[in-house]
Amino acid sequence: MMNTRTWHLAPLMAGILLAGQATASQLVPPPGYYAPVEVRGKDGGSCKAPPKPYTAKLEFRSKYEGSDKARATLNPEAEKAFREKTADITDMERGVSKMVTDYLRKGQRTQLECSLQWLGSWAQANALLSTEYNHTGKSMRKWALGSMASAYLQLKFSDSRPLAAYGSQARLIESWFSHLADQVVKDWSGLPLKKVNNHAYWAAWSVMATAVATNRRDLYDWSVDQFRVAAAQVDDQGFLPNELKRRQRALAYHNYALPPLAMIASFAQANGQDLRDENDGALKRLGERVLEGVDDQDAFEDRTGENQDMGELKKHTKFAWLEPWCALYGCAPKTLAWKDEMGPYTTFRLGGDVTRVFHPKREGGS
């Protein structure tokens, strides 16, 4: 029989054990997300009004409207219409990312409060949650979620604890992210393999960022499952069959598939799950295939029968995936030199300053 003292201690010990279990199960980002605010700058400046929350149907024209199955020929008129109708969403993504990045670099509280005000206004309006959407619309939803949630992560986990005084705003924003992620899961689950391509990988990245921001293991598991589907698609030579279908844009789309996959693998590693060996090192094989393709497009041209369009690959930000990828695998000196020459990398679709997170010595170009 339990004596009186032991009986009184039992709830305390149970609480300690539960607290330990909660800590052990807490989802976390890679170490770079804990970086403190770099400078405690003077407050100043004003907060620009946020873009109008987008609550309408997520039905947009595709910039490849009218193209054949390759979906590789741009339609200028449709692209213009798409840009105009999605301008508020893109402004939201870019704006939040920039404000968070500026706050972490300069420490101006105005930037912090403004980013929370923007996110809070869209959260209160239940923006981007329409269940009436087309393919381009659901694509915009997952891109926007990934951009915002990954920027927010840097505030949530920073050792400077910038969100400590903003609990109610943080809860509102995280609840909205959680609902968005649930819808993204619905949008992108159950696709036939022939339709699983870079869009599904970006969806998985948005869900991973949200999983860690909201500590939801179910979202984390879904993202990892999608990574495994992607890894299984990479063939022995490092090609993705569904991106080869993009013909003259095949190399560009192989490259575009890498950022979300490298980020998911990095987040999984931070949570004790090593995805680097999935399908005999598929992610490494894919990255190496793209790097070789940038130097020499012959292999892609042989597989597609088309000269490769290198326009997108002239943009250095398109190679932001090298930061998490080199952190995962270690890169050859030549690749590291090339990466550092092009960096530092800032891209709103991965939350902002990727170099600051994965390779801080290069942040700011130093």
Side-chain angles (χ1 to χ4, degrees):
M1 184 174 178
M2 198 181 283
N3 64 35
T4 304
R5 182 178 178 184
T6 304
W7 183 85
H8 282 299
L9 284 173
L12 175 62
M13 294 305 295
I16 292 171
L17 286 171
L18 286 171
Q21 290 170 2
T23 302
S25 65
Q26 175 77 38
L27 292 170
V28 297
Y33 284 84
Y34 293 89
V37 177
E38 293 170 23
V39 179
R40 289 292 182 183
K42 294 181 180 179
D43 290 340
S46 58
C47 180
K48 181 181 175 182
K52 181 182 177 182
Y54 193 95
T55 57
K57 298 176 183 178
L58 289 164
E59 294 178 350
F60 310 117
R61 294 175 68 181
S62 167
K63 63 183 180 180
Y64 295 118
E65 185 178 283
S67 181
D68 59 16
K69 289 182 180 180
R71 308 290 289 167
T73 304
L74 285 172
N75 178 328
E77 180 189 343
E79 182 179 24
K80 183 174 183 291
F82 165 76
R83 299 290 181 200
E84 289 174 353
K85 197 168 181 182
T86 60
D88 284 341
I89 301 173
T90 304
D91 287 348
M92 181 70 176
E93 293 180 83
R94 291 181 181 274
V96 168
S97 177
K98 185 178 187 304
M99 286 186 285
V100 169
T101 297
D102 286 348
Y103 169 69
L104 292 169
R105 287 176 174 169
K106 302 172 185 177
Q108 292 184 330
R109 185 167 293 276
T110 303
Q111 298 293 328
L112 168 64
E113 293 183 345
C114 196
S115 65
L116 295 177
Q117 180 184 327
W118 278 38
L119 289 167
S121 69
W122 280 50
Q124 285 182 320
N126 289 318
L128 302 175
L129 280 168
S130 175
T131 54
E132 296 181 78
Y133 55 85
N134 59 12
H135 184 275
T136 306
K138 72 176 184 177
S139 297
M140 283 300 298
R141 176 167 27 227
K142 48 86 170 162
W143 279 323
L145 176 58
S147 299
M148 294 182 292
S150 55
Y152 179 84
L153 279 172
Q154 297 176 74
L155 300 177
K156 183 177 178 75
F157 285 91
S158 170
D159 285 340
S160 299
R161 301 186 67 237
L163 298 182
Y166 303 94
S168 60
Q169 289 108 310
R171 286 189 292 274
L172 173 67
I173 292 164
E174 289 176 24
S175 175
W176 176 53
F177 285 166
S178 191
H179 288 307
L180 279 171
D182 284 336
Q183 186 59 50
V184 170
V185 169
K186 291 177 184 176
D187 292 345
W188 297 96
S189 291
L191 295 175
L193 278 178
K194 66 181 181 180
K195 291 190 175 182
V196 175
N197 60 12
N198 66 84
H199 281 293
Y201 314 156
W202 281 97
W205 158 238
S206 76
V207 170
M208 174 61 82
T210 305
V212 176
T214 60
N215 196 34
R216 281 186 56 184
R217 181 68 60 170
D218 61 323
L219 296 179
Y220 172 90
D221 290 341
W222 185 87
S223 180
V224 169
D225 287 345
Q226 303 314 301
F227 178 94
R228 288 182 166 135
V229 171
Q233 290 178 298
V234 180
D235 69 19
D236 291 343
Q237 297 179 47
F239 290 106
L240 285 164
N242 290 340
E243 306 306 335
L244 286 173
K245 295 175 184 176
R246 306 306 290 265
R247 297 199 314 218
Q248 70 265 33
R249 295 180 182 271
L251 173 56
Y253 272 98
H254 276 72
N255 187 74
Y256 188 60
L258 277 159
L261 296 177
M263 293 296 282
I264 292 168
S266 295
F267 272 61
Q269 186 180 62
N271 288 282
Q273 191 167 15
D274 194 344
L275 299 178
R276 289 176 295 180
D277 292 332
E278 288 290 323
N279 188 16
D280 298 321
L283 179 60
K284 185 173 191 288
R285 201 160 60 247
L286 174 61
E288 289 171 345
R289 172 53 63 193
V290 167
L291 292 175
E292 291 170 10
V294 171
D295 285 337
D296 182 350
Q297 294 85 58
D298 283 354
F300 279 89
E301 291 171 0
D302 288 345
R303 291 290 291 267
T304 63
E306 299 275 355
N307 292 330
Q308 293 301 292
D309 183 340
M310 300 296 287
E312 285 294 299
L313 297 175
K314 293 177 181 177
K315 302 174 184 177
H316 290 178
T317 56
K318 297 295 182 180
F319 294 94
W321 60 268
L322 282 167
E323 293 289 17
W325 193 77
C326 287
L328 284 165
Y329 294 106
C331 286
K334 179 182 176 182
T335 303
L336 287 174
W338 184 62
K339 173 179 75 72
D340 290 348
E341 181 184 346
M342 289 192 297
Y345 301 91
T346 301
T347 173
F348 67 95
R349 286 273 156 81
L350 298 180
D353 194 339
V354 185
T355 297
R356 180 181 186 270
V357 170
F358 288 98
H359 195 189
K361 291 181 180 179
R362 279 285 302 156
E363 200 282 323
S366 60

